[in-house]
Amino acid sequence: MMIARTLEELRAAREALGPVGFVPTMGALHAGHLHLVATAKAAGLPVAASIFVNPTQFGPKEDFARYPRDEAGDLDKLERAGCALAWLPGVGEMYPPHHATSIHVNGPAAHWEGASRPGHFSGVATVVAKLFGQVRPEAAYFGEKDWQQVQVVSRMVADLGLPVRIVPVPTVREADGLALSSRNRYLTEAERKGAPALYKALTQAAEQIMAGKEVAAILHLTRQSLAQAGMVPDYVALVHAHTLEPIAGLAQPARLIAAAKLGAVRLLDNIPVG
Ligand code: PAF
């Protein structure tokens, strides 16, 4: 596996490889990331993965400084997964002195994570656009666990006419249903046992909505059941799967999305409905 840490090294590696599939990450890799790499590999192109903990997508009170970092472990995992290239830019490589350009996103970025984490999706869109410009992939693979992120990136690619195909990849879950996330490692033993309640509540809510029960009532009950499970729900919503606007019924492609705090950890999950 080639490792590039500067734009010059990246350019040389990209010339050697030709077209690539791309998996952008912030490291602390788990089986969900490796599933993205495997999906990209199965599509037949060499795979490039990036590891960059992007400061601009963290709020001032968020966990940028203590976000898990394990470069040696991550490189080992990428190599074993058959990655052809690892791109590990430094902050100066991504945000050169006097940088003054960022991407403003609205539409699917407006609500939910966008409302709870002001500036988050601008940071994501900006770094993803930079990564696409640097790596120039044919296709880029994103986990559906961050459903809103996938819609924001897809919207940006369509709006800016970027020459890359976005491939959403289904969420990888633990046996008890908990969606894999780098932040799960911060759950205490007791919280880890309770964490699958989020997926369970979403699954039950989806069944009720599909059975024709009133959406607002079901969302209310779901928030209550999360609180009973010891979580502090931020939002539970039925939304248009691509615009992320709230919807009251199943006439359009629908997604049930939720975020809830369990102890110090913010859990996110979503499932299709209908
Ligand atoms: O999903 C992530 O890990 C990050 O938001 C991404 C897409 C790598 C951008 O920093």
Side-chain angles (χ1 to χ4, degrees):
M1 179 174 76
M2 288 181 274
I3 298 175
R5 293 177 189 274
T6 64
L7 287 167
E8 209 181 326
E9 287 170 3
L10 178 68
R11 265 190 291 274
R14 287 295 293 105
E15 264 169 41
L17 281 179
V20 294
F22 178 47
V23 178
T25 83
M26 297 207 299
L29 302 181
H30 51 64
H33 296 111
L34 302 180
H35 181 56
L36 296 178
V37 173
T39 307
K41 233 184 132 203
L45 292 176
V47 180
S50 61
I51 300 175
F52 179 66
V53 186
N54 174 35
T56 65
Q57 70 187 75
F58 290 78
K61 292 194 183 135
E62 293 182 12
D63 57 348
F64 173 68
R66 65 176 206 114
Y67 193 83
R69 290 161 171 87
D70 175 18
E71 187 183 295
D74 286 346
L75 288 175
D76 187 48
K77 285 177 190 157
L78 290 177
E79 174 126 52
R80 285 167 194 269
C83 238
L85 166 63
W87 167 222
L88 280 71
V91 175
E93 217 73 52
M94 296 302 282
Y95 297 102
H98 312 298
H99 69 93
T101 307
S102 62
I103 295 187
H104 171 76
V105 281
N106 209 330
H111 306 301
W112 323 119
E113 290 308 289
S116 294
R117 306 180 64 190
H120 170 69
F121 282 127
S122 172
V124 169
T126 302
V127 83
V128 168
K130 283 168 183 272
L131 288 165
F132 287 170
Q134 294 162 347
V135 177
R136 288 171 290 105
E138 302 284 303
Y141 297 77
F142 289 82
E144 289 185 353
K145 146 92 178 19
D146 294 305
W147 181 264
Q148 191 174 5
Q149 171 170 276
V150 181
Q151 305 317 311
V152 170
V153 169
S154 299
R155 186 70 261 160
M156 174 188 74
V157 163
D159 289 348
L160 300 183
L162 303 182
V164 55
R165 192 164 43 86
I166 301 301
V167 184
V169 179
T171 303
V172 179
R173 298 181 182 279
E174 303 280 8
D176 59 11
L178 177 65
L180 295 196
S181 161
S182 303
R183 291 184 172 105
N184 288 351
R185 67 187 69 192
Y186 295 134
L187 294 167
T188 64
E189 209 176 308
E191 287 164 355
R192 172 62 191 84
K193 281 199 186 121
L198 180 58
Y199 178 58
K200 201 168 156 209
L202 286 182
T203 311
Q204 283 170 352
E207 279 166 14
Q208 307 268 323
I209 290 169
M210 283 193 282
K213 300 252 169 73
E214 197 209 341
V215 171
I218 297 305
L219 298 179
H220 178 70
L221 287 174
T222 307
R223 277 189 284 273
Q224 278 185 337
S225 84
L226 293 179
Q228 275 156 16
M231 299 187 191
V232 181
D234 180 355
Y235 56 79
V236 179
L238 184 71
V239 299
H240 185 291
H242 305 301
T243 67
L244 272 289
E245 286 298 324
I247 53 175
L250 291 180
Q252 312 146 73
R255 205 90 189 173
L256 201 48
I257 60 170
K261 209 112 186 256
L262 181 57
V265 181
R266 185 177 169 82
L267 299 174
L268 288 189
D269 209 340
N270 68 86
I271 56 172
V273 189

